[in-house]
Amino acid sequence: MATIVVESPVIKAIPQKHEHLFFSGMSWFIAAIVFIGFARTYYLAGLFDAKPLPAAIVHIHGAVFTSWIALLVVQTSLVASDRTRTHRHLGLVGLGLAPLVVVLGVLVANEMLNRTATIPGFNSPLIFAVALSEISGFAVPIFFAFRLRRRPAAHKRLILIGTIAMTTAGFGRWPVSFLLHKPLPAMLAAFSLLVLLFAFDLLTMRRIHRATVLGSAWVVFIELSGFAIGHTVSWQSFAVHVRLLTG
């Protein structure tokens, strides 16, 4: 028993250090994914002679979503440096940003549906369904993350999972043939980030955290459902009605 008491602080400290490295590293990785995806059309648009963004709402959405990603990087870095008080204060910013990400995501999905409806070969109703599924994939884990903010292990995992749900859009804009404007491969690329979280849990805890299981299951379910529904005749008809009402 004496040996267990002496060694237990060391056993606890190692996973905590690994958690800091993992979550901070994942936040930077997600930031890189988003930057690469939107570099040609948004972040470095001037270097690529990209067309101007089609509407003011797209500018606002880009700024808000970028702010969310930047906040994720800052927040994980603050926790890693043991500045938890500042982390908690900045959490209020995240609490305000999250609903904006959801609302603006829906508005931009609708704007894209109207703008791309006449482009030959571009299945705008499908992309509309996928975009809405990403927003749902973000909203539910983030909602529970804030509800469980006093339970750090669940909170940080749900924040990460919700943000991963939105990387489908980033992967889908990577300038590589098997990802560019291909929803299913982009989703699978995003799901691979969830696999990393599963692997981290197994390596550090010898089990998978409940938040990891439930949050990831929701993201995979809702995004694959959106992809499947987007191919149906009923959804295609619904998208036409939406476009007529909002166009």
Side-chain angles (χ1 to χ4, degrees):
M1 292 297 293
T3 302
I4 294 174
V5 172
V6 171
E7 291 184 354
S8 59
V10 177
I11 292 171
K12 291 179 181 179
I14 293 173
Q16 187 177 49
K17 179 181 178 181
H18 289 169
E19 279 210 347
H20 293 338
L21 289 172
F22 176 78
F23 285 95
S24 183
M26 285 293 289
S27 66
W28 279 103
F29 189 30
I30 289 172
I33 290 165
V34 171
F35 180 80
I36 292 170
F38 291 95
R40 292 170 175 263
T41 58
Y42 186 65
Y43 298 115
L44 302 177
L47 297 179
F48 293 97
D49 295 323
K51 294 180 181 179
L53 293 180
I57 194 68
V58 181
H59 282 277
I60 299 170
H61 168 69
V64 169
F65 182 61
T66 300
S67 298
W68 175 267
I69 298 297
L71 182 62
L72 176 68
V73 171
V74 170
Q75 288 289 67
T76 54
S77 299
L78 286 172
V79 172
S81 59
D82 200 29
R83 297 169 64 186
T84 53
R85 185 175 181 181
T86 305
H87 172 87
R88 286 194 296 270
H89 290 327
L90 276 180
L92 296 175
V93 176
L95 189 61
L97 273 178
L100 288 177
V101 171
V102 174
V103 172
L104 289 168
V106 173
L107 293 176
V108 168
N110 182 69
E111 186 278 334
M112 181 198 60
L113 174 67
N114 286 287
R115 174 168 41 88
T116 60
T118 58
I119 298 177
F122 193 91
N123 193 341
S124 55
L126 172 61
I127 302 301
F128 181 52
V130 170
L132 293 179
S133 74
E134 288 181 60
I135 296 162
S136 300
F138 171 85
V140 172
I142 296 302
F143 171 79
F144 284 103
F146 284 114
R147 286 287 302 272
L148 299 173
R149 61 190 177 277
R150 297 188 186 279
R151 295 166 59 181
H155 172 75
K156 66 178 67 176
R157 282 166 173 79
L158 290 170
I159 289 288
L160 183 65
I161 289 167
T163 308
I164 285 172
M166 300 289 275
T167 62
T168 296
F171 278 119
R173 288 166 175 80
W174 273 28
V176 291
S177 59
F178 67 90
L179 285 175
L180 187 61
H181 302 313
K182 294 185 171 105
L184 186 56
M187 284 181 190
L188 296 177
F191 297 164
S192 70
L193 302 183
L194 298 175
V195 173
L196 293 178
L197 181 55
F198 272 74
F200 173 76
D201 280 358
L202 286 173
L203 288 171
T204 57
M205 301 190 302
R206 300 295 185 265
R207 64 182 179 86
I208 301 172
H209 197 284
R210 186 181 180 188
T212 299
V213 174
L214 296 179
S216 298
W218 168 253
V219 170
V220 172
F221 167 76
I222 198 65
E223 293 206 11
L224 290 180
S225 296
F227 180 76
I229 292 169
H231 284 90
T232 63
V233 174
S234 297
W235 180 264
Q236 301 277 327
S237 177
F238 171 75
V240 169
H241 285 300
V242 171
R243 185 163 56 84
L244 291 175
L245 286 172
T246 61

